[in-house]
């Protein structure tokens, strides 16, 4: 596990980390939370994932915004990367990014494409991003696509600042299956 969290590494530090960790087949967990990463780091992280064995990625509290997240997830859609967990909470996935070419809806469409095809993912954390109802509905449809395709459920965490019905549906679709029905206990007669 490599933890660089709460360091002011920025995009330059991420580029250096890419050089250091490329080809590393031992590292399974990378945490770069709150490291002042911005849009360019999305492509750098994606490149690192294609050149390493990282299965758990924590990138919360940065400013990847819609464009950086889209760059990252687009690579996940096209490469067979066995990523089990990705934490993208509080990354400015909203319509407020300066110079952003994509908004939350377009980013959600890319995430939906990945949710629909990945066999490895167990957790995707998008909390504390103001994605809005349209993007949330797109993510909800991605979970529905997974169920239709017979893929395992994943836990998708989103902000509660969306339509209540969409939020509840995402929560219900993302619950882990328990592996069958519970048997009722028989009461003993006295």
């Amino acid at each position: 596990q490599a933890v660089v969290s709460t360091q002011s590494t920025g995009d330059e530090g991420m580029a250096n980390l890419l050089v250091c960790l490329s080809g590393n087949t031992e590292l399974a967990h990378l945490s770069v939370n709150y490291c002042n990463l911005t849009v360019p780091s999305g492509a750098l992280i994606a490149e690192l994932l294609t050149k390493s064995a990282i299965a758990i990625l924590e990138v919360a509290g940065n400013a990847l915004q819609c464009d950086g997240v889209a760059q990252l997830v687009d690579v996940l859609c096209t490469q067979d990367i066995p990523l089990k967990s990705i934490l993208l909470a509080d990354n400015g996935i909203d319509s407020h990014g300066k110079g952003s070419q994509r908004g939350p809806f377009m980013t959600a469409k890319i995430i939906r494409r990945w949710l629909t095809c990945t066999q490895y993912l167990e957790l995707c954390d998008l909390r504390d991003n103001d994605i809005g109802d349209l993007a949330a509905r797109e993510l909800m449809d991605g979970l529905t696509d997974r169920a239709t395709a017979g893929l395992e459920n994943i836990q998708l965490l989103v902000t509660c600042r969306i339509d209540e019905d969409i939020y509840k549906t995402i929560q219900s679709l993302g619950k882990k299956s328990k592996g069958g029905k519970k048997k009722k206990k028989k009461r003993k007669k006295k």
Side-chain angles (χ1 to χ4, degrees):
Q1 176 178 355
V3 178
V4 186
S5 295
T6 67
Q7 304 294 317
S8 295
T9 46
D11 299 324
E12 185 178 328
M14 190 65 223
N16 292 333
L17 197 61
L18 170 64
V19 171
C20 293
L21 295 177
S22 287
N24 184 318
T25 58
E26 302 293 320
L27 182 66
H29 184 163
L30 176 64
S31 178
V32 287
N33 296 320
Y34 301 94
C35 288
N36 296 322
L37 304 180
T38 63
V39 174
S41 286
L44 295 171
I45 295 166
E47 185 178 345
L48 178 59
L49 290 174
T50 65
K51 297 178 178 181
S52 67
I54 295 171
I56 300 170
L57 177 64
E58 297 180 25
V59 196
N62 289 291
L64 294 181
Q65 301 179 20
C66 292
D67 289 347
V69 171
Q71 292 168 4
L72 170 57
V73 177
D74 198 40
V75 170
L76 295 172
C77 289
T78 58
Q79 304 279 327
D80 190 29
I81 299 171
L83 193 63
K84 292 182 180 180
S85 175
I86 185 166
L87 279 61
L88 291 165
D90 192 19
N91 255 290
I93 305 170
D94 54 36
S95 57
H96 310 294
K98 294 180 181 177
S100 183
Q101 297 191 12
R102 294 177 186 89
F105 178 71
M106 293 306 294
T107 304
K109 285 181 78 67
I110 295 168
I111 295 172
R112 176 186 179 177
R113 196 171 77 225
W114 179 49
L115 292 176
T116 302
C117 68
T118 181
Q119 297 176 15
Y120 309 103
L121 190 64
E122 297 171 5
L123 170 67
C124 181
D125 185 350
L126 296 168
R127 289 178 294 180
D128 298 322
N129 290 294
D130 192 11
I131 61 173
D133 291 345
L134 284 176
R137 184 175 300 280
E138 193 69 20
L139 297 172
M140 179 185 75
D141 290 344
L143 293 177
T144 303
D145 294 345
R146 283 186 70 79
T148 302
L151 294 171
E152 290 288 323
N153 291 344
I154 64 166
Q155 187 176 13
L156 178 63
L157 305 175
V158 294
T159 181
C160 60
R161 292 179 304 214
I162 56 175
D163 178 81
E164 186 178 354
D165 291 336
I166 296 171
Y167 181 80
K168 286 179 179 178
T169 302
I170 288 173
Q171 297 309 301
S172 68
L173 287 169
K175 289 183 180 173
K176 290 284 187 188
S177 58
K178 303 289 185 201
K181 296 180 180 179
K182 291 184 178 180
K183 293 182 181 179
K184 292 182 180 179
K185 291 182 180 181
K186 293 182 181 178
R187 290 185 177 186
K188 291 183 180 180
K189 292 183 180 179
K190 291 184 181 181

